[in-house]
């Protein structure tokens, strides 16, 4: 088997395992939400970190499966968050060549903008559908905490899972 194909599929399997661990921890009654703050979306943070570093590994089908499973398990409106995450990830994937060689602060800013867009799009769709939703403050705090844990997701991805940022020449051919 080709080394690149092996790397892609083993990294996809690793991401799926990581996603299942994150979802499992969210379902456990650990009492972590007793602080009054909404928890950050670790799954989104890791997805964006891995997409930013290895866009070839993060396939559309895998993102759909992981986030649709998360929608069902976390009792969110089925498919809404999945569709919005898919839109944002594909938008970031389209810009991967221009975002490959930037420093971390610009990367972090683009991720913050993407997370804010996700939250506002979700609130807009729920408003159009007249569906119940949390307060704007809680939604913004959730997004802020997700953006705040993004550097941790990047560090864990880099040092623990060895997911490195692709070079500009590799990003153009991928």
């Amino acid at each position: 088997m080709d080394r690149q194909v092996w790397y892609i599929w083993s990294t996809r399997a690793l991401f799926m395992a990581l996603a299942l661990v994150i979802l499992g921890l969210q379902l456990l009654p650990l009492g972590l939400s007793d602080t009054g703050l909404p928890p950050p979306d670790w799954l989104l943070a890791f997805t964006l970190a891995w997409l930013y570093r290895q866009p070839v590994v993060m396939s559309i089908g895998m993102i759909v499966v992981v986030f649709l499973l998360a929608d069902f398990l976390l009792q969110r409106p089925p498919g809404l968050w999945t569709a919005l995450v898919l839109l944002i990830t594909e938008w970031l994937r389209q810009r991967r060549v221009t975002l490959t060689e930037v420093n971390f602060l610009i990367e972090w800013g683009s991720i913050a903008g993407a997370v804010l867009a996700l939250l506002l799009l979700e609130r807009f769709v729920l408003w159009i559908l007249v569906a119940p939703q949390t307060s704007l403050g809680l939604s913004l705090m959730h997004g802020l905490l997700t953006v705040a844990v993004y550097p941790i997701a990047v560090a864990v991805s880099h040092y623990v899972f060895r997911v490195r940022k692709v070079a500009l020449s590799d990003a153009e051919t991928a």
Side-chain angles (χ1 to χ4, degrees):
M1 185 181 286
D2 188 19
R3 285 192 108 200
Q4 186 174 9
V5 173
W6 169 253
Y7 175 77
I8 289 172
W9 283 102
S10 63
T11 308
R12 285 178 180 171
L14 183 63
F15 180 79
M16 291 295 284
L18 176 65
L20 290 175
V21 167
I22 290 171
L23 288 173
L25 288 175
Q26 286 180 334
L27 292 174
L28 288 176
L30 298 175
L32 298 176
S33 62
D34 295 342
T35 61
L37 293 174
D41 193 344
W42 285 99
L43 187 58
L44 180 64
F46 275 103
T47 300
L48 295 176
W50 287 39
L51 178 81
Y52 204 90
R53 274 140 189 74
Q54 295 288 331
V56 175
V57 170
M58 300 301 292
S59 70
I60 294 173
M62 185 174 64
I63 292 171
V64 167
V65 166
V66 165
F67 280 92
L68 197 56
L69 179 67
D71 284 348
F72 287 124
L73 290 177
L74 301 176
Q75 298 181 358
R76 297 188 293 220
L80 175 60
W81 189 248
T82 304
L84 295 175
V85 168
L86 191 61
L87 282 172
I88 291 296
T89 56
E90 288 307 303
W91 180 77
L92 287 172
R93 192 186 310 264
Q94 295 270 331
R95 282 139 188 84
R96 75 177 185 261
V97 173
T98 59
L99 295 175
T100 301
E101 297 295 327
V102 297
N103 66 16
F104 183 72
L105 289 178
I106 294 173
E107 172 189 344
W108 199 8
S110 67
I111 296 301
V115 169
L116 179 65
L118 271 172
L119 293 174
L120 293 178
L121 281 170
E122 180 189 35
R123 291 191 64 81
F124 179 72
V125 170
L126 290 174
W127 177 74
I128 291 290
L129 297 174
V130 192
Q133 48 186 318
T134 61
S135 69
L136 180 62
L138 280 177
S139 293
L140 291 176
M141 183 60 71
H142 174 73
L144 181 67
L145 289 174
T146 301
V147 170
V149 300
Y150 179 76
I152 298 169
V154 168
V156 169
S157 299
H158 184 81
Y159 294 111
V160 175
F161 299 118
R162 306 282 186 219
V163 177
R164 307 274 194 251
K165 189 184 281 193
V166 295
L168 183 59
S169 60
D170 295 336
E172 290 172 346
T173 59

